[in-house]
């Protein structure tokens, strides 16, 4: 009989509950056997949808439990390190929602612990790599059909954002996904970044919105990223690779176009969860497979660290108007 992975979920807010639903109802060979949250009542409520789940009072108790094989971290970013380090010490595979941690220093402590452990245990939740359209894009690039990729254009638009979306979140919360796919599709680390704000969208309050980033990659390719988070009309993710002999682009997400009365129209999604619902399913299924073997796959702690460095540098650039060089140490062998 297939081994059933017993997962403990740390943080049972919006994405934690969504992942509990996935692990309980959609993905095979896994069950949620524990949950915990700062807000214990929220954890108890989340446990109602996972029949085998015990509610743990603390992250430490959940990780230490003999009834937990692997942990899924869905708390907010500043709490990730305090969950990851004991999970590594216990040798338990980890899926950590992005970001890996809140600072570069915390990311490096996590990398250090994983390297000392001797093999990968951490997958970071950059789920676009599991999206069917992005995977097709990557396959076209790797097939050589359009020649060497030269430029990646990425567009990330939200209809609006909640009131707690403030400060630099357009970079730390939103642009990080585009930075991840830029590195992944172009096959290179970022050499430097410049971020500039345009004339502000009047609906954005104090936010610098929209933002444009230009990334020069170490392999001399380029990525441009537009982040617009109050654009009103919908949640719209666009991407195009311009290569030596052609291009490859993401298509619109609607299945049909209606033509009538001299016009044509299609649907634009408004909820980001719907755009990536299948990608999350694949992401978690792949994680479960790897975790059942005691390891990890997909975006690594190194990817999490690299994105943190680029995102911090992007904030610096947005503040000082300069091109900021990316400075990272050597990539440890376990991430090669
Ligand atoms: P959320 O709804 O605020 O949920 C986070 C939950 O974790 C809250 O219940 C919070 O409790 C709890 N929590 C915070 N620190 C904790 C700790 N030390 N131990 C246990 N529980 C703790 O946030 P969310 O939207 O689900 O986001 C959670 C994480 O997922 C974030 O890192 C976010 O960036 C990431 N995320 C990723 C994606 C993606 O596209 N991959 C999408 C959405 C979210 P309190 O409210 O009481 O603090």
């Amino acid at each position: 009989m297939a081994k059933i992975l017993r997962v403990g979920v740390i943080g049972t807010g919006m994405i934690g509950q969504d992942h509990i639903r996935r692990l309980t109802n959609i993905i095979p060979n896994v069950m949620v056997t524990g949950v915990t949250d700062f807000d214990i009542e929220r954890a108890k409520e989340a446990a109602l949808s996972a029949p085998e789940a015990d509610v743990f009072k603390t992250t430490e108790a959940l990780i230490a439990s003999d009834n937990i094989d692997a942990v899924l971290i869905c708390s907010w970013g500043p709490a990730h390190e305090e969950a990851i380090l004991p999970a590594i010490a216990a040798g338990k595979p980890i899926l950590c929602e992005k970001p890996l941690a809140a600072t570069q220093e915390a990311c490096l402590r996590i990398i250090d612990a994983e390297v000392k452990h001797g093999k990968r245990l951490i997958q970071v939740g950059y789920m676009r790599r599991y999206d069917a359209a992005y995977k097709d894009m990557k396959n076209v690039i790797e097939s050589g059909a359009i020649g060497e990729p030269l430029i990646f254009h990425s567009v990330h638009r939200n209809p609006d954002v909640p009131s707690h979306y403030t400060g630099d979140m357009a970079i730390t919360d939103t642009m990080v996904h585009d930075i991840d796919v830029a590195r992944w599709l172009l096959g290179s680390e970022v050499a430097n970044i410049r971020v500039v704000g345009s004339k502000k969208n009047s609906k954005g309050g104090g936010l610098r919105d929209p933002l444009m980033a230009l990334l020069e990659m170490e392999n001399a390719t380029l990525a441009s990223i537009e982040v617009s988070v109050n654009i009103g009309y919908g949640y719209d993710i666009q991407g195009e690779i311009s290569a030596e002999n052609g291009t490859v682009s993401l298509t619109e997400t609607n299945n049909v176009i209606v033509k009538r009365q001299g016009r044509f129209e299609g649907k634009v999604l408004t909820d980001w969860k719907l755009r990536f619902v299948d990608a999350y399913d694949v992401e978690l299924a792949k994680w479960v497979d790897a975790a059942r073997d005691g390891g990890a796959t997909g975006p690594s702690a190194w990817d999490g660290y690299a994105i943190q460095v680029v995102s911090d540098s992007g904030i610096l650039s947005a503040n000082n108007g300069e091109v900021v060089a990316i400075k990272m140490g050597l990539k440890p062998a376990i991430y090669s």
Side-chain angles (χ1 to χ4, degrees):
M1 204 174 74
K3 177 185 162 191
I4 303 293
L5 187 76
R6 298 167 304 170
V7 172
V9 179
I10 298 166
T12 55
M14 187 271 299
I15 200 91
Q17 290 175 31
D18 202 29
H19 287 337
I20 289 169
R21 173 189 64 76
R22 268 188 184 93
L23 294 176
T24 307
N25 302 327
I26 296 177
I27 295 167
N29 302 322
V30 61
M31 64 184 172
V32 176
T33 50
V35 295
T36 187
D37 195 286
F38 262 178
D39 179 344
I40 207 72
E41 294 307 318
R42 192 178 297 153
K44 284 181 187 164
E45 208 172 298
L48 295 177
S49 58
E52 309 297 329
D54 293 324
V55 177
F56 289 84
K57 285 198 179 125
T58 64
T59 295
E60 295 70 29
L62 177 143
I63 291 169
S65 167
D66 288 340
N67 198 31
I68 302 284
D69 302 315
V71 296
L72 170 54
I73 301 172
C74 301
S75 51
W76 70 315
H80 290 180
E81 181 188 11
E82 70 194 33
I84 291 175
L85 292 179
I88 294 175
K92 298 193 176 179
I94 300 151
L95 173 56
C96 179
E97 262 305 345
K98 62 88 188 162
L100 174 63
T103 64
Q104 292 177 39
E105 293 72 25
C107 291
L108 286 172
R109 285 192 289 272
I110 290 167
I111 285 176
D112 202 37
E114 196 177 39
V115 167
K116 285 200 177 101
H117 174 76
K119 68 168 195 164
R120 276 192 60 190
L121 281 177
I122 303 168
Q123 176 176 336
V124 187
Y126 286 105
M127 77 300 176
R128 286 193 187 184
R129 300 186 189 199
Y130 298 99
D131 175 68
Y134 276 112
K135 277 196 291 187
D136 281 355
M137 211 173 185
K138 175 95 168 152
N139 288 340
V140 170
I141 296 167
E142 289 181 349
S143 73
I146 57 171
E148 286 292 310
L150 303 175
I151 299 175
F152 173 52
H153 299 286
S154 193
V155 171
H156 192 154
R157 296 180 179 145
N158 290 61
D160 50 35
V161 282
S163 55
H164 63 77
Y165 188 100
T166 52
D168 297 316
M169 287 176 76
I171 298 175
T172 59
D173 227 54
T174 302
M175 193 185 289
V176 286
H177 286 290
D178 305 86
I179 295 169
D180 176 55
V181 280
R183 293 173 62 253
W184 181 63
L185 290 172
L186 294 171
S188 177
E189 295 294 359
V190 182
N192 63 61
I193 180 168
R194 175 152 192 239
V195 178
V196 280
S198 78
K199 178 182 174 182
K200 284 184 184 174
N201 185 324
S202 58
K203 299 191 295 280
L207 277 182
R208 276 191 294 220
D209 171 45
L211 286 179
M212 281 293 305
L214 182 65
L215 280 59
E216 287 187 80
M217 311 300 284
E218 284 182 356
N219 66 1
T221 59
L222 292 178
S224 73
I225 303 172
E226 172 197 323
V227 170
S228 297
V229 297
N230 285 289
I231 203 156
Y233 75 87
Y235 181 70
D236 194 6
I237 299 299
Q238 297 176 18
E240 180 177 58
I241 289 278
S242 173
E244 286 186 308
N245 300 314
T247 67
V248 54
S249 317
L250 302 177
T251 54
E252 297 295 334
T253 49
N254 54 309
N255 290 336
V256 291
I257 290 174
V258 177
K259 296 181 183 175
R260 62 185 182 117
Q261 297 176 335
R263 302 172 65 84
F264 69 90
E265 59 191 36
K267 190 174 162 194
V268 182
L269 295 176
T270 51
D271 184 344
W272 58 268
K273 285 202 285 309
L274 295 179
R275 171 63 183 83
F276 289 109
V277 65
D278 295 337
Y280 287 119
D281 289 351
V282 179
E283 174 191 49
L284 266 79
K286 296 276 184 203
W287 174 64
V288 166
D289 282 349
R292 286 170 71 223
D293 290 335
T297 181
S300 66
W302 179 262
D303 292 310
Y305 164 63
I307 294 164
Q308 185 75 36
V309 176
V310 177
S311 146
D312 286 351
S313 306
I315 293 168
L316 190 60
S317 172
N319 288 337
N320 69 14
E322 291 177 5
V323 175
V324 177
I326 304 303
K327 295 195 185 86
M328 295 194 294
L330 278 183
K331 180 152 90 170
I334 66 165
Y335 304 115
S336 296

mmCIF file of all heavy atoms in Angstrom, residues 138-158:
data_model
loop_
_atom_site.group_PDB
_atom_site.id
_atom_site.type_symbol
_atom_site.label_atom_id
_atom_site.label_comp_id
_atom_site.label_asym_id
_atom_site.label_seq_id
_atom_site.Cartn_x
_atom_site.Cartn_y
_atom_site.Cartn_z
ATOM 1 N N LYS A 138 8.229 27.369 -20.995
ATOM 2 C CA LYS A 138 9.565 26.842 -20.679
ATOM 3 C C LYS A 138 9.933 25.721 -21.665
ATOM 4 O O LYS A 138 11.068 25.647 -22.138
ATOM 5 C CB LYS A 138 9.547 26.327 -19.232
ATOM 6 C CG LYS A 138 10.806 25.648 -18.767
ATOM 7 C CD LYS A 138 11.717 26.603 -18.054
ATOM 8 C CE LYS A 138 12.828 25.866 -17.328
ATOM 9 N NZ LYS A 138 14.037 26.687 -17.189
ATOM 10 N N ASN A 139 8.944 24.860 -21.989
ATOM 11 C CA ASN A 139 9.218 23.766 -22.929
ATOM 12 C C ASN A 139 9.578 24.298 -24.310
ATOM 13 O O ASN A 139 10.467 23.761 -24.976
ATOM 14 C CB ASN A 139 8.004 22.833 -23.039
ATOM 15 C CG ASN A 139 7.833 21.998 -21.781
ATOM 16 O OD1 ASN A 139 8.776 21.839 -21.002
ATOM 17 N ND2 ASN A 139 6.628 21.486 -21.555
ATOM 18 N N VAL A 140 8.872 25.353 -24.766
ATOM 19 C CA VAL A 140 9.193 25.942 -26.074
ATOM 20 C C VAL A 140 10.623 26.469 -26.060
ATOM 21 O O VAL A 140 11.405 26.234 -26.993
ATOM 22 C CB VAL A 140 8.196 27.065 -26.442
ATOM 23 C CG1 VAL A 140 8.680 27.838 -27.669
ATOM 24 C CG2 VAL A 140 6.806 26.498 -26.687
ATOM 25 N N ILE A 141 10.989 27.166 -24.978
ATOM 26 C CA ILE A 141 12.359 27.707 -24.889
ATOM 27 C C ILE A 141 13.365 26.561 -24.967
ATOM 28 O O ILE A 141 14.312 26.588 -25.749
ATOM 29 C CB ILE A 141 12.553 28.497 -23.575
ATOM 30 C CG1 ILE A 141 11.647 29.719 -23.552
ATOM 31 C CG2 ILE A 141 14.018 28.893 -23.389
ATOM 32 C CD1 ILE A 141 11.529 30.384 -22.185
ATOM 33 N N GLU A 142 13.114 25.509 -24.164
ATOM 34 C CA GLU A 142 14.093 24.415 -24.085
ATOM 35 C C GLU A 142 14.146 23.587 -25.364
ATOM 36 O O GLU A 142 15.151 22.949 -25.650
ATOM 37 C CB GLU A 142 13.788 23.535 -22.868
ATOM 38 C CG GLU A 142 14.137 24.288 -21.591
ATOM 39 C CD GLU A 142 13.892 23.506 -20.303
ATOM 40 O OE1 GLU A 142 13.250 22.439 -20.355
ATOM 41 O OE2 GLU A 142 14.324 23.992 -19.262
ATOM 42 N N SER A 143 13.061 23.633 -26.162
ATOM 43 C CA SER A 143 13.064 22.862 -27.422
ATOM 44 C C SER A 143 13.996 23.498 -28.448
ATOM 45 O O SER A 143 14.365 22.871 -29.431
ATOM 46 C CB SER A 143 11.645 22.818 -28.009
ATOM 47 O OG SER A 143 11.308 24.091 -28.553
ATOM 48 N N GLY A 144 14.348 24.773 -28.252
ATOM 49 C CA GLY A 144 15.207 25.466 -29.219
ATOM 50 C C GLY A 144 14.431 26.031 -30.406
ATOM 51 O O GLY A 144 15.019 26.638 -31.312
ATOM 52 N N ALA A 145 13.106 25.864 -30.418
ATOM 53 C CA ALA A 145 12.306 26.244 -31.593
ATOM 54 C C ALA A 145 12.390 27.735 -31.914
ATOM 55 O O ALA A 145 12.265 28.128 -33.079
ATOM 56 C CB ALA A 145 10.846 25.852 -31.371
ATOM 57 N N ILE A 146 12.590 28.575 -30.935
ATOM 58 C CA ILE A 146 12.646 30.028 -31.200
ATOM 59 C C ILE A 146 14.050 30.589 -30.952
ATOM 60 O O ILE A 146 14.248 31.801 -30.911
ATOM 61 C CB ILE A 146 11.590 30.804 -30.362
ATOM 62 C CG1 ILE A 146 11.766 30.541 -28.860
ATOM 63 C CG2 ILE A 146 10.173 30.460 -30.821
ATOM 64 C CD1 ILE A 146 10.899 31.450 -27.974
ATOM 65 N N GLY A 147 15.013 29.699 -30.792
ATOM 66 C CA GLY A 147 16.390 30.151 -30.553
ATOM 67 C C GLY A 147 16.591 30.598 -29.115
ATOM 68 O O GLY A 147 15.736 30.402 -28.254
ATOM 69 N N GLU A 148 17.735 31.199 -28.869
ATOM 70 C CA GLU A 148 18.083 31.616 -27.501
ATOM 71 C C GLU A 148 17.130 32.708 -27.004
ATOM 72 O O GLU A 148 16.900 33.692 -27.708
ATOM 73 C CB GLU A 148 19.504 32.193 -27.479
ATOM 74 C CG GLU A 148 20.590 31.158 -27.592
ATOM 75 C CD GLU A 148 20.668 30.286 -26.360
ATOM 76 O OE1 GLU A 148 20.705 30.822 -25.242
ATOM 77 O OE2 GLU A 148 20.668 29.046 -26.518
ATOM 78 N N PRO A 149 16.574 32.585 -25.800
ATOM 79 C CA PRO A 149 15.742 33.662 -25.256
ATOM 80 C C PRO A 149 16.599 34.898 -24.961
ATOM 81 O O PRO A 149 17.739 34.771 -24.514
ATOM 82 C CB PRO A 149 15.179 33.064 -23.964
ATOM 83 C CG PRO A 149 16.104 31.971 -23.598
ATOM 84 C CD PRO A 149 16.729 31.464 -24.868
ATOM 85 N N LEU A 150 16.043 36.074 -25.245
ATOM 86 C CA LEU A 150 16.796 37.313 -25.032
ATOM 87 C C LEU A 150 16.126 38.226 -24.005
ATOM 88 O O LEU A 150 16.807 38.800 -23.154
ATOM 89 C CB LEU A 150 16.953 38.059 -26.373
ATOM 90 C CG LEU A 150 17.643 37.247 -27.484
ATOM 91 C CD1 LEU A 150 17.635 38.014 -28.798
ATOM 92 C CD2 LEU A 150 19.066 36.877 -27.084
ATOM 93 N N ILE A 151 14.799 38.361 -24.126
ATOM 94 C CA ILE A 151 14.086 39.283 -23.227
ATOM 95 C C ILE A 151 12.803 38.605 -22.737
ATOM 96 O O ILE A 151 12.106 37.952 -23.526
ATOM 97 C CB ILE A 151 13.702 40.589 -23.954
ATOM 98 C CG1 ILE A 151 14.949 41.316 -24.459
ATOM 99 C CG2 ILE A 151 12.907 41.519 -23.024
ATOM 100 C CD1 ILE A 151 14.636 42.563 -25.297
ATOM 101 N N PHE A 152 12.502 38.765 -21.438
ATOM 102 C CA PHE A 152 11.232 38.301 -20.880
ATOM 103 C C PHE A 152 10.446 39.526 -20.431
ATOM 104 O O PHE A 152 10.965 40.357 -19.676
ATOM 105 C CB PHE A 152 11.501 37.367 -19.688
ATOM 106 C CG PHE A 152 10.268 36.964 -18.921
ATOM 107 C CD1 PHE A 152 9.160 36.422 -19.562
ATOM 108 C CD2 PHE A 152 10.218 37.097 -17.533
ATOM 109 C CE1 PHE A 152 8.022 36.042 -18.855
ATOM 110 C CE2 PHE A 152 9.097 36.711 -16.810
ATOM 111 C CZ PHE A 152 7.994 36.194 -17.477
ATOM 112 N N HIS A 153 9.225 39.659 -20.946
ATOM 113 C CA HIS A 153 8.332 40.721 -20.503
ATOM 114 C C HIS A 153 7.288 40.096 -19.583
ATOM 115 O O HIS A 153 6.610 39.141 -19.996
ATOM 116 C CB HIS A 153 7.598 41.358 -21.688
ATOM 117 C CG HIS A 153 8.501 41.998 -22.692
ATOM 118 N ND1 HIS A 153 9.143 43.196 -22.466
ATOM 119 C CD2 HIS A 153 8.876 41.600 -23.930
ATOM 120 C CE1 HIS A 153 9.863 43.506 -23.524
ATOM 121 N NE2 HIS A 153 9.725 42.557 -24.425
ATOM 122 N N SER A 154 7.144 40.627 -18.406
ATOM 123 C CA SER A 154 6.174 40.082 -17.457
ATOM 124 C C SER A 154 5.240 41.197 -16.997
ATOM 125 O O SER A 154 5.699 42.302 -16.696
ATOM 126 C CB SER A 154 6.921 39.492 -16.256
ATOM 127 O OG SER A 154 6.072 38.705 -15.469
ATOM 128 N N VAL A 155 3.962 40.891 -16.964
ATOM 129 C CA VAL A 155 2.957 41.873 -16.536
ATOM 130 C C VAL A 155 2.116 41.241 -15.437
ATOM 131 O O VAL A 155 1.640 40.110 -15.594
ATOM 132 C CB VAL A 155 2.069 42.283 -17.730
ATOM 133 C CG1 VAL A 155 0.896 43.135 -17.255
ATOM 134 C CG2 VAL A 155 2.884 43.039 -18.771
ATOM 135 N N HIS A 156 1.966 41.935 -14.335
ATOM 136 C CA HIS A 156 1.271 41.402 -13.148
ATOM 137 C C HIS A 156 0.290 42.470 -12.686
ATOM 138 O O HIS A 156 0.693 43.493 -12.134
ATOM 139 C CB HIS A 156 2.320 41.117 -12.067
ATOM 140 C CG HIS A 156 1.830 40.305 -10.912
ATOM 141 N ND1 HIS A 156 2.677 39.526 -10.163
ATOM 142 C CD2 HIS A 156 0.615 40.153 -10.360
ATOM 143 C CE1 HIS A 156 1.979 38.937 -9.198
ATOM 144 N NE2 HIS A 156 0.732 39.300 -9.301
ATOM 145 N N ARG A 157 -0.993 42.248 -12.969
ATOM 146 C CA ARG A 157 -1.997 43.278 -12.676
ATOM 147 C C ARG A 157 -3.081 42.734 -11.755
ATOM 148 O O ARG A 157 -3.613 41.650 -12.016
ATOM 149 C CB ARG A 157 -2.643 43.774 -13.976
ATOM 150 C CG ARG A 157 -1.652 44.455 -14.890
ATOM 151 C CD ARG A 157 -2.328 44.937 -16.156
ATOM 152 N NE ARG A 157 -1.376 45.604 -17.024
ATOM 153 C CZ ARG A 157 -1.400 45.555 -18.354
ATOM 154 N NH1 ARG A 157 -2.335 44.867 -18.980
ATOM 155 N NH2 ARG A 157 -0.500 46.194 -19.058
ATOM 156 N N ASN A 158 -3.377 43.474 -10.714
ATOM 157 C CA ASN A 158 -4.489 43.145 -9.814
ATOM 158 C C ASN A 158 -5.584 44.201 -9.961
ATOM 159 O O ASN A 158 -5.270 45.382 -10.129
ATOM 160 C CB ASN A 158 -4.031 43.178 -8.353
ATOM 161 C CG ASN A 158 -3.105 42.036 -8.006
ATOM 162 O OD1 ASN A 158 -2.033 41.907 -8.589
ATOM 163 N ND2 ASN A 158 -3.496 41.209 -7.071
#
